[in-house]
Amino acid sequence: MLLSELKFGSYLTYTPRPNSDEGKYAKNYVNSIKMEIGIPTDPPLFMSDRVAKNIKAGIDETPLKDFFGRDVALVPVPKSSLMQLNSLWVPLKLATAFSKEGFGTCYPCLERKNPVNKASYSKPENRPKAIDHYKSIKLKMTLQKPKKIILIDDVVTRGSTLLGCASLLQESFPGTPIIGFAVVRTISDPDNFKKMVEPCIGKITRNGDDTFRVP
Amino acid sequence: MKSFSETIVKLTSDELIGHPLNDVEKKFAPQYVFIKGNREIMSFPRVSVIGTRKPSRQGVTDTIILTKQLLKKNIVIVSGLARGIDSIAHKTTIRFGGKTIAVLGTPLNVFYPPENEFLQNEIMKNHLAISQFPLETQTQRKNFPIRNRTMALFSHASIIVEAGEQSGTLHQGWEALRLGRPLFIVDHIMQNGDLEWPSKFIRYGARILRINDIETLLDPLPTPGVIKDVTF
């Protein structure tokens, strides 16, 4: 059964069609996260590690201060497509990096059994709904009943993926608090993009087939 | 005057690409590559334009139109210097003043196919040729699919213009998908109902590309330059 709302957190914002230097930087940054780019430091770091370390360093000054915790299960959100073995799965990289920083324990327990359209490349009318995600994902392993589950994704736009995944998980873990975290949230209108770092806690709400994200 | 081998630079894959490789990239990445030409070309967005050695008239036209569109956006065209689509992509790039990278399945001093000797020399002189095979390596059939995976690694995105069910091009397609790099299939391929691979690739994340509408392709490409240590 589909949830009607979901609490979520995010740390950064970006806009797909930037019209400012900071907007262009943010878009490039997001592309680097999506490619898990290596950073030529000594020793080398990768974008997931860098993001997790930066969030760890600044989180106490943000609304996300009490968002994570050691008794939390971090569940990476599946890609929209099927995956070959040994493929890059960015939410898994992020969940693993967050785990290293003490934000919880990574449990890659969700799997896509049927592909859905990739939201960021689809026209609004073709974007998958929460129900499409719910029906196309399966639980591939069980985990001991955690105190709290946080779904981990790289980017949230309308929140249908997070809501679909949370709906599936709540059937297996009734009573367990489930929330979502996406490193970046999309600001569709470039004029509404202010700056890249804007930590927030918000809500994803479902109205029929459609989902809405605030902020 | 320097000998041919003295003009070749040996680099690690990390050094050529400009940043450390993640574990997924490392899986099939050559430890070393040999390059000849202008290394600066690597600092621009790079897109592979690849396909069959025996293209149809439509495939030839699509390759030329697509390559010209990409050149207008200052994208470097990567291909494998094979007959057919690869050669057309390289030649179109050179003819219209763009920059191209050839990733070879042979050592840099071997010209295969032989008729591309002039083209390969031009690329080694004014563009960039890359091979993971040392000069003394014997050319073998198995080296070409290995090269195809390497070409996916050195490209930010790949476009298959035309390919049959057994085409070596598909090795690059699978590797691009595994690496999480955007893979595009030119739309006219989808009209060929005899082919099974396009729908399979779509299920694994490939996308359809209309050659006159490349904006969707540009979105995930990085802006020129190397990502330094980034903080926020």
Side-chain angles (χ1 to χ4, degrees), chain A residues 8-11 55 59 62-68 181 199-201:
Chain A
F8 83 99
S10 78
Y11 211 90
I55 290 176
I59 199 166
T62 76
L64 294 159
K65 186 180 175 197
D66 301 316
F67 202 80
F68 297 96
F181 181 80
C200 84
I201 292 179

Side-chain angles (χ1 to χ4, degrees), chain A residues 50 84 86 88 93 121, chain B residues 23 174 178 203 207 229:
Chain A
R50 172 53 80 195
Q84 305 169 72
N86 303 310
L88 179 63
K93 295 288 184 193
Y121 302 142
Chain B
D23 59 339
W174 283 120
R178 196 187 69 80
R203 288 172 64 77
R207 292 150 52 194
D229 184 13

Side-chain angles (χ1 to χ4, degrees), chain B residues 6 11 25 27 36 66 71 74 97 122 132 156 159 173 177 181-182 186 212 218 225-226:
Chain B
E6 286 172 332
L11 299 169
E25 293 169 324
K27 185 169 176 61
K36 187 164 166 59
L66 183 60
L71 295 179
N74 290 321
E122 168 63 17
Q132 67 198 93
H156 293 110
I159 306 169
L177 292 171
R181 309 281 172 85
V186 167
N212 286 314
L218 303 176
V226 176

Side-chain angles (χ1 to χ4, degrees), chain A residues 163-178:
Chain A
L163 198 71
C165 291
S167 300
L168 186 78
L169 283 172
Q170 59 101 26
E171 290 176 356
S172 298
F173 303 99
T176 302
I178 301 173

Side-chain angles (χ1 to χ4, degrees), chain A residues 11 17 25 27-29 31-32 35-36 38-40 44 46 50 54 81-82 84 86-88 93 121 197, chain B residues 19-24 27 174 178-179 181 203-205 207 219-223 227 229-232:
Chain A
Y11 211 90
R17 303 273 178 274
Y25 181 83
K27 185 177 176 185
N28 210 28
Y29 197 90
N31 282 344
S32 303
M35 289 177 70
E36 180 69 342
I39 304 161
F46 297 91
R50 172 53 80 195
N54 285 351
S81 62
L82 303 183
Q84 305 169 72
N86 303 310
S87 292
L88 179 63
K93 295 288 184 193
Y121 302 142
V197 182
Chain B
H19 56 74
L21 301 185
N22 64 45
D23 59 339
V24 179
K27 185 169 176 61
W174 283 120
R178 196 187 69 80
L179 292 169
R181 309 281 172 85
R203 288 172 64 77
Y204 281 82
R207 292 150 52 194
D219 254 6
L221 298 183
T223 50
I227 300 289
D229 184 13
V230 276
T231 55
F232 52 73

